[in-house]
Amino acid sequence: MSDRPRIFDEPRIVDVKPAQAATYDRNAATSGPMELPDDAARTARLAEDSSNDLPAVVAGRGLMPAAGTAGPLRRTGRRLLLGGIAGLVVTVVGFETWDLINRAFIEADWLGWAVAGLGGAALAGLGTLGALEISALRRLSKVDGLRHEAARLAAAADDPAAAADATALAARISALYADRPGLTVAQAAFSSQLTDAHDAQEALALTERLLLAPIDAEARRLVLLAARDTALATAASPAALLDAAVVLWRNARLVREVAALYGVRPGRIASLRIVRRSLGAAAMAGVGEAGQDMAVDALGGGIAAAVSARLGQGVVNGLVAARIGLGAIEACRPLPFQAVARPRTADLRRDMMRMLSGQRAG
Amino acid sequence: MSASSFDRLGSTARRLARRFSPDMLADEAASLLDRPLRLGVTGLARSGKTVFTTAIARALLFPDRLPFLQARADGRLIGAELRRPGDPEIPRFAYETHLARIAGSDGDAPGWPASTRTLSQLRIGLRWKPAGLVDRRIRPVRDLTLDIIDYPGEWLLDLALIERGFADWSAEALSLSRRGPRAELARPFLDRLSTLDPAAPADDVVLAELGRAWSTHLIACREAGLAVSRLGPGRFLVPGDLEGAPVLAFSPLPEPAGRAPSGSLYAVAEERFDQYRRRIVGRFFRDHFARLDRQVVLVDLPGALSAGPEAIDDLKLALTESLGAFRYGRGSGMIGRLLSGVRIDRVLFAATKADQVPASQHARLDGLMQAMVADAARAIRFDGAEARTLAIAAVKAAESVFADHDGRNLACVRGWLAGRAQASVVYPGDLPADPAEAIARAAGRGFDYPPFVPPAGLVRDGHGLAHIRLDQALDHLIGDRLA
């Protein structure tokens, strides 16, 4: 069953095509060891793959029974309703604008042109904003795709192609942050340390440790700042309504900052989606940490309340901001926390308290 | 209670207080904390102990490329330095020489260090910042001294001799040497033996001659790649400073019919075997292995797979026998450690030379390693120590590539074979996921893992050497002490 070892000194390496590297021959076992001509070789490291065609991930409904005909019907109904209303509004606005322009032209030519220009400007602005919004959503879903792919690779332990895929995934994540001057050192360290010998999990862990760690640290700093601002604003504000507004505004800004940091650059709608998910993640974290948090929060709040009810409320609001920030990190990070410890509200609380009491945060 | 008994009590208390003054206790505690961590690098001959030791010294001195060493990843590792070794009687590990050999210096092509002929030691001082907030307040910078010894792998086999008798050992050694391919190589020795009567009066010349003949036979067997684990005693293969010493002047002998009279060949050989066991093996064990804290067992699995199933069986036997000599597990707290000596609390079974195996099959290599040491690892874990396996390469000399051949896409390795001008691409065989199948396929010579030499320019960039999972190995072995 063995070809005798053959020896070729070979001249050059052929460029890699990812698809070929991935279809590695599992039936190779049938032939014996041998030496091959070098021009047959492709490096196992894949060149950066810029394509966006991530495998479609089907969000399974688990054990829930299929919705039957009611589900699609309901969705169609909703779409008809919303689409119809939107269409009506657009038509009304269109008619009105058209009328307006016509009326202006009747008054005077210059007025007509001016009104038409205003209408055109509004249309262009709307189009630009819409395009930005769509691209923001696309970026968000791209990051989601990266995360799903990472989860798939982490699960596919024995797949020989997984390592190559993970390297490609790492390259895509690295490309996501290619324009950050502060990350050049981390990028260089990352690309010099990732070798062909790392398996999928190791490649992803390296990405987290070398590439995402500085971003995580910065995100954490942003969250801390927001938590402090929120706490101080709540403590200092004279009216409940005012501090509610401040908290809302500050949290929204935090979410946008975190998202931009991780390369999501959200528009309004994308922000809303991130906020929704952050709240979900914050609530999830809340469930996990509820035991300790409730005790400590109650205790901390209790002591603070004894000093000042406002300050206590400020601390609580700061913690809420911290949780939302952590949720945003979770929602925007291209990889799930695996090799790097997930930041916890408990740590943030400690640092926030230190910040509030005037010390430097660790 | 009388006044005098109070006095006595008081003086005892004072004496005790003098003895255990707080200063002294603090000193004691500090010396306990600063006690060198002894890392035992164990492995049979050619499993890569010297390269491993050189590579971890280099990696700790130049700790970039250690992303999976937690202390390094956290930025807490300040640095490392080579220190003067603790034992004045043992030569220092020639780190610089070995490194220069691996990197290739002064016109020499890069290569692997020659096999170790004698004992040597290396002491590395590590400086790091503790992770915990409280620890950081107490001592912001900490020191850890790491002691490593290098020794000929052949000596490790002797640990299996510690609990054996001469008659028992002789019988096994002789029957082995009469069987299979060994018989041919043992012929000169066996011929000489057949002309002798073990009950005859001892003659130093004859004994020395027998010793030499046995040693020649062992070396011939090793050259032929036969039964590594049953090639004892180790000093007959690599005598170190015992070259020509009387304690090596013996060989296995058939047991004479009656009781061997004192002063007979058999009796003297038996006495020398016992001396060898107690003085040579016992001291080696006591001085270098009995006090180990951590142990890494290096296993050249690709080499064994290339050599066939006998080599794998042999390897497994050698592992089982030599590991039996170690004690594992934590003593009960610090007192337990003081009283019962130090015990090994972490063991790493490392399949070395993983760079010879395509990276996509490293998980399978690791699986095979796990299967090989499953029994030993279970016993170690039962004793309370942590054991894990890893596929590593202390120095990465080859890269994994995919190659087209006859329309199939094969997982290959690419590196420099000794003496070639250009890199070669080698398909070494496809390691199956099932360990039993892997061993079966080794029987059909299904694997041929090539001995690549290190690539040129390894050290020139001023970084640590390229490696595979050496950082994970280090993290398992010493990472907890850097927390």
Side-chain angles (χ1 to χ4, degrees):
Chain A
M1 98 181 207
S2 58
D3 299 76
R4 274 328 300 158
R6 278 186 286 158
I7 294 167
F8 299 89
D9 283 330
E10 44 69 19
R12 70 208 170 76
I13 296 185
V14 176
D15 265 353
V16 188
K17 286 190 201 126
Q20 275 168 314
T23 58
Y24 148 80
D25 191 350
R26 281 165 176 283
N27 298 322
T30 47
S31 65
M34 63 190 146
E35 197 167 331
L36 298 171
D38 194 46
D39 58 1
R42 317 159 187 289
T43 53
R45 285 285 295 277
L46 298 181
E48 183 182 315
D49 176 15
S50 55
S51 67
N52 283 331
D53 49 356
L54 293 160
V57 175
V58 182
R61 297 284 313 205
L63 297 177
M64 283 291 281
T69 50
L73 206 58
R74 182 187 301 267
R75 213 169 311 140
T76 316
R78 207 184 302 154
R79 260 187 218 152
L80 276 177
L81 175 66
L82 291 178
I85 290 176
L88 280 178
V89 168
V90 167
T91 318
V92 166
V93 170
F95 268 124
E96 288 299 319
T97 314
W98 189 251
D99 270 1
L100 193 66
I101 293 172
N102 279 336
R103 284 215 311 270
F105 269 114
I106 291 168
E107 288 293 326
D109 262 7
W110 63 269
L111 190 63
W113 285 117
V115 173
L118 286 177
L123 204 63
L126 192 69
T128 317
L129 286 181
L132 283 176
E133 206 57 58
I134 287 168
S135 85
L137 280 171
R138 280 182 60 117
R139 288 189 79 90
L140 186 60
S141 69
K142 183 175 165 185
V143 168
D144 285 350
L146 292 173
R147 205 165 32 228
H148 286 309
E149 170 82 350
R152 181 185 75 81
L153 290 173
D158 195 39
D159 183 3
D165 290 350
T167 310
L169 178 67
R172 278 212 294 278
I173 292 173
S174 167
L176 205 56
Y177 306 120
D179 57 345
R180 310 277 173 90
L183 273 182
T184 41
V185 177
Q187 294 260 24
F190 171 67
S191 57
S192 77
Q193 301 208 1
L194 183 66
T195 70
D196 55 295
H198 287 115
D199 65 25
Q201 266 187 7
E202 288 165 339
L204 295 182
L206 267 183
T207 315
E208 275 195 69
R209 286 186 168 210
L210 295 175
L211 202 59
L212 293 183
I215 304 178
D216 290 340
E218 176 65 12
R220 196 186 134 91
R221 200 182 64 85
L222 290 178
V223 174
L224 259 182
L225 281 179
R228 185 200 60 182
D229 287 357
T230 314
L232 288 181
T234 314
S237 92
L241 205 61
L242 186 62
D243 68 58
V246 168
V247 167
L248 272 181
W249 166 77
R250 191 63 186 87
N251 283 346
R253 207 184 95 187
L254 170 65
V255 168
R256 290 172 59 86
E257 281 174 345
V258 168
L261 183 65
Y262 280 105
V264 181
R265 274 183 221 146
R268 299 277 157 195
I269 300 173
S271 290
L272 274 180
R273 207 189 263 190
I274 295 172
V275 168
R276 206 174 69 186
R277 264 200 281 171
S278 314
L279 288 174
M284 287 302 292
V287 171
E289 298 177 10
Q292 45 177 352
D293 264 13
M294 272 200 335
V296 184
D297 282 357
L299 188 64
I303 293 171
V307 182
S308 150
R310 295 301 300 173
L311 189 61
Q313 203 166 7
V315 169
V316 170
N317 277 347
L319 286 174
V320 169
R323 277 210 186 148
I324 289 178
L326 292 187
I329 291 178
E330 205 112 347
C332 300
R333 202 170 184 265
L335 289 177
F337 283 101
Q338 267 166 352
V340 173
R342 177 190 309 271
R344 295 181 310 146
T345 7
D347 305 335
L348 281 175
R349 176 175 48 231
R350 202 186 54 216
D351 288 346
M352 190 183 80
M353 296 309 275
R354 212 179 308 154
M355 238 178 180
L356 286 176
S357 58
Q359 299 175 26
R360 263 189 67 225
Chain B
M1 203 181 255
S2 70
S4 73
S5 58
F6 272 118
D7 275 357
R8 256 206 312 280
L9 209 62
S11 73
T12 310
R14 270 198 301 280
R15 215 169 45 238
L16 277 177
R18 258 205 309 281
R19 216 191 231 168
F20 298 107
S21 66
D23 279 357
M24 198 211 74
L25 280 179
D27 282 357
E28 198 75 4
S31 76
L32 267 178
L33 286 174
D34 288 337
R35 202 176 58 79
L37 184 74
R38 296 174 63 93
L39 171 64
V41 182
T42 49
L44 301 178
R46 304 208 175 106
S47 58
K49 290 187 296 300
T50 305
V51 174
F52 183 83
T53 307
T54 310
I56 60 176
R58 173 76 185 184
L60 290 172
L61 292 173
F62 295 85
D64 43 11
R65 292 215 175 123
L66 295 177
F68 287 102
L69 179 60
Q70 192 62 48
R72 163 70 189 163
D74 297 348
R76 293 187 290 103
L77 186 64
I78 298 171
E81 60 176 3
L82 294 181
R83 289 194 180 148
R84 207 172 304 115
D87 190 333
E89 288 174 26
I90 304 173
R92 178 178 170 280
F93 179 79
Y95 161 70
E96 292 80 3
T97 318
H98 295 315
L99 186 66
R101 180 88 191 95
I102 293 170
S105 62
D106 303 335
D108 275 356
W112 302 112
S115 68
T116 306
R117 312 295 300 171
T118 173
L119 198 68
S120 65
Q121 59 179 344
L122 185 67
R123 175 167 279 192
I124 304 171
L126 289 168
R127 196 155 285 176
W128 48 279
K129 294 183 234 171
L133 283 172
V134 180
D135 287 345
R136 226 180 289 170
R137 288 278 157 85
I138 297 171
R139 274 208 289 178
V141 172
R142 298 226 174 157
D143 253 23
L144 176 71
T145 306
L146 186 66
D147 274 351
I148 311 169
I149 57 163
D150 188 32
Y151 58 91
E154 286 86 352
W155 296 3
L156 190 67
L157 303 172
D158 285 351
L159 296 185
L161 286 183
I162 283 189
E163 291 180 345
R164 302 196 75 174
F166 181 64
D168 175 30
W169 172 73
S170 282
E172 195 198 314
L174 287 177
S175 85
L176 261 176
S177 66
R178 288 197 178 100
R179 252 189 289 153
R182 274 182 146 197
E184 195 51 46
L185 299 165
R187 187 152 314 282
F189 169 76
L190 292 174
D191 286 350
R192 181 77 186 90
L193 201 61
S194 60
T195 66
L196 284 174
D197 176 13
D203 180 344
D204 263 352
V205 179
V206 173
L207 277 168
E209 195 187 326
L210 278 175
R212 272 197 304 278
W214 181 245
S215 150
T216 313
H217 151 241
L218 291 181
I219 290 169
C221 288
R222 188 183 58 185
E223 298 300 316
L226 292 170
V228 197
S229 75
R230 313 271 187 93
L231 291 176
R235 300 272 174 162
F236 282 67
L237 285 156
V238 182
D241 51 358
L242 290 178
E243 185 90 60
V247 72
L248 297 191
F250 72 92
S251 76
L253 289 173
E255 210 167 353
R259 252 189 70 83
S262 72
S264 67
L265 272 180
Y266 188 85
V268 175
E270 180 167 26
E271 193 184 314
R272 289 197 171 150
F273 177 81
D274 282 340
Q275 280 172 347
Y276 182 88
R277 232 165 30 104
R278 271 183 286 116
R279 310 252 311 245
I280 311 297
V281 185
R283 200 171 53 200
F284 181 57
F285 179 74
R286 200 176 54 242
D287 290 355
H288 303 298
F289 288 119
R291 293 180 295 136
L292 292 181
D293 304 294
R294 304 288 154 89
Q295 188 183 17
V296 52
V297 183
L298 302 179
V299 181
D300 179 10
L301 264 188
L305 283 170
S306 303
E310 301 86 12
I312 296 174
D313 280 352
D314 224 56
L315 189 61
K316 195 168 175 186
L317 187 72
L319 278 174
T320 316
E321 287 190 346
S322 58
L323 288 174
F326 293 97
R327 290 176 303 164
Y328 298 97
R330 230 175 264 281
S332 52
M334 197 167 288
I335 295 168
R337 285 172 78 100
L338 281 175
L339 291 182
S340 64
V342 182
R343 285 176 163 205
I344 295 168
D345 56 2
R346 279 184 177 219
V347 183
L348 173 72
F349 296 101
T352 54
K353 309 185 186 177
D355 56 341
Q356 298 173 356
V357 181
S360 53
Q361 294 162 23
H362 283 182
R364 297 170 177 196
L365 187 67
D366 188 37
L368 180 57
M369 186 75 209
Q370 280 174 20
M372 295 270 301
V373 299
D375 291 340
R378 199 161 35 92
I380 288 166
R381 291 197 187 103
F382 185 78
D383 286 341
E386 286 178 45
R388 79 171 283 193
T389 61
L390 271 178
I392 70 163
V395 174
K396 183 172 183 288
E399 59 175 347
S400 298
V401 295
F402 288 92
D404 284 336
H405 177 71
D406 289 348
R408 287 177 312 165
N409 199 2
L410 302 178
C412 298
V413 279
R414 180 176 178 277
W416 275 262
L417 293 168
R420 301 267 190 93
Q422 274 172 312
S424 310
V425 174
V426 175
Y427 170 67
D430 195 63
L431 195 62
D434 178 10
E437 199 189 330
I439 291 169
R441 205 177 289 170
R445 290 290 181 267
F447 307 103
D448 188 6
Y449 293 104
F452 292 117
V453 295
L458 269 185
V459 195
R460 245 170 267 156
D461 55 359
H463 297 306
L465 301 171
H467 63 81
I468 298 175
R469 297 190 192 93
L470 189 65
D471 47 353
Q472 291 180 43
L474 271 173
D475 196 55
H476 177 70
L477 289 169
I478 63 170
D480 62 321
R481 293 293 294 266
L482 304 178

